[in-house]
DNA sequence: ATAATTGCATACGCTGCGTATGTCAACTAT
DNA sequence: ATAGTTGACATACGCAGCGTATGCAATTAT
């Protein structure tokens, strides 16, 4: 009776591994995170890891997919709250900068992720953020709110600027002041996308 | 007679190590580059590496400093050619995107660099590019050509957007077409910095 | 009940890094 | 000139971490 169904046990094991790995990757970093260590912290061994995820990179991908989904959800919530679509886009972009200040996101998504898995735009399970940004821009373009630019290109430029800015802010002597400067410059830059000066 | 002066031999050894490492880091990547392998390729051993650079990261920093210097030189040449300062800034930024398409720069400066050494804005010997961009923007601001934004913040946003765009372009199915879209969107974005719509 | 499958652990070998040590050539001083 | 010193690099060793091969026990299928 005390037996849980099999599927549940397996899902639990996977979740434990992802969680422990996320913790380790987020703090120590991918290269420095020892598989022996964090599997043990989850009460398991590397055997379980190789069984479920193939290798260290496989588990890393799972962690990334999880975080990406969370980020996307948060960003959607932000843009949904805005009064108009352009404002929603701006808010979303700024929120993106702010999320990039979180150490876990910075380390896993922005630093180790690209180094280990390559170009983020090629990640299979993690592009929800970019896609939703692109969608927003597509509509804004149709509405004539923004000029004649490729929405995906703009979305990528914006997210690139954001994450770079975030790194800079996070490591600055005075993050709060730096953040102000960055956000202001960022909004100014975004105005370039508008069809008419706002 | 056949003896070269000591200093020269040492400089040669260092140069050989940097060159071999640059080659290995640029193709295999930092983590996959075996110190035994690429020191051997230079006709040396790891002993020489540890003697001169302390560790693998130390050598990596030297490689980065070298590449950064080259990039800066190229960027200066571009902006020097322009007819006016704003145009020079735009050209420089676009040139930055184009440079980021080179596999070596992409791999070493944009991917492995940040992952291994952390935030690029904190690198000791490698910020020549950003500094010169910041200088250009400072002057443009004084001239009233661009609006009231923090020059360094803008420079970082721009370079972030550039390198992210470059990665995207380099991995696209049709790099040429993607590049066109990206550069157009990029120039549009830059217009946001202008005090008046150009 | 027995066979087959599967989830995970254990055991082994290999690679690659860092350090400690050794060695020989080149500069220095008398 | 020669003895001593420094410094440039090689060699040797130990250790951690990854991947694979193997083992085992519990579930599922027949």
């Amino acid at each position: 009776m005390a037996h849980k169904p099999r599927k549940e046990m397996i899902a639990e094991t996977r979740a434990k591994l992802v969680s422990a790995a996320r913790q380790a990757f987020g703090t120590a970093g991918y290269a420095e995170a020892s598989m022996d260590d964090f599997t043990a912290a989850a009460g398991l061994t590397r055997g379980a890891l190789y069984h479920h995820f193939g290798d260290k990179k496989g588990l890393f991908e799972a962690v990334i997919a999880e975080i990406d989904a969370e980020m996307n959800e948060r960003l959607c919530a932000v843009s949904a709250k805005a009064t108009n679509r352009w404002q929603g886009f701006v808010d979303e972009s700024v929120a993106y900068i702010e999320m990039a200040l979180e150490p876990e996101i910075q380390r896993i998504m922005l630093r180790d992720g690209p180094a280990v898995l390559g170009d983020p735009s090629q990640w299979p399970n993690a592009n929800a953020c970019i896609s939703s940004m692109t969608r927003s821009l597509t509509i804004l373009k149709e509405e004539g709110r923004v000029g004649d630019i490729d929405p995906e290109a703009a979305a990528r430029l914006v997210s690139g600027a954001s994450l770079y800015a975030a790194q800079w802010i996070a490591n600055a002597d005075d993050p709060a002041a730096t953040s102000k400067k960055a956000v202001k410059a960022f909004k100014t830059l975004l105005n370039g996308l508008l069809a008419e000066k706002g």
Side-chain angles (χ1 to χ4, degrees), chain A:
Chain A
M1 239 289 103
H3 306 284
K4 290 187 189 175
R6 197 103 205 283
K7 291 280 174 192
E8 239 175 73
M9 295 295 295
I10 296 169
E12 202 174 304
T13 297
R14 291 178 62 97
K16 271 196 267 186
L17 283 173
V18 170
S19 167
R22 178 172 172 167
Q23 165 68 22
F25 292 153
T27 53
Y30 179 82
E32 287 70 30
S34 157
M35 296 164 75
D36 279 323
D37 288 353
F38 69 72
T39 52
L44 295 160
T45 68
R46 274 180 349 186
L49 192 160
Y50 280 101
H51 183 72
H52 286 293
F53 299 97
D55 60 358
K56 198 180 184 182
K57 271 168 81 168
L59 178 51
F60 190 55
E61 283 173 20
V63 170
I64 287 206
E66 185 177 286
I67 297 179
D68 179 72
E70 291 174 13
M71 288 176 68
N72 185 49
E73 203 176 333
R74 291 168 60 183
L75 288 179
C76 285
V78 167
S79 66
K81 241 186 251 169
T83 52
N84 67 67
R85 213 181 293 282
W86 171 253
Q87 193 56 43
F89 173 71
V90 172
D91 290 350
E92 197 177 330
S93 303
V94 172
Y96 191 81
I97 293 191
E98 279 160 9
M99 283 201 316
L101 290 173
E102 296 164 31
E104 188 183 53
I105 291 179
Q106 199 168 118
R107 183 89 219 211
I108 296 179
M109 302 298 281
L110 313 181
R111 247 140 150 278
D112 291 344
V116 175
L117 303 178
D119 179 17
S121 64
Q122 310 291 321
W123 295 353
N125 296 319
N127 270 306
C129 309
I130 295 286
S131 317
S132 73
M133 240 191 215
T134 306
R135 267 194 304 277
S136 301
L137 278 170
T138 305
I139 300 175
L140 283 163
K141 187 178 162 189
E142 282 164 5
E143 288 173 347
R145 199 86 177 81
V146 308
D148 179 31
I149 41 88
D150 184 75
E152 188 184 358
R156 295 202 178 279
L157 289 168
V158 167
S159 76
S162 302
L163 66 87
Y164 208 76
Q167 268 195 54
W168 177 51
I169 297 168
N171 294 300
D173 293 332
D174 183 349
T178 307
S179 177
K180 269 194 184 173
K181 288 193 284 190
V183 168
K184 185 178 179 189
F186 185 67
K187 286 182 175 172
T188 307
L189 208 53
L190 285 184
N191 280 335
L193 294 178
L194 286 172
E196 297 157 33
K197 206 84 175 176

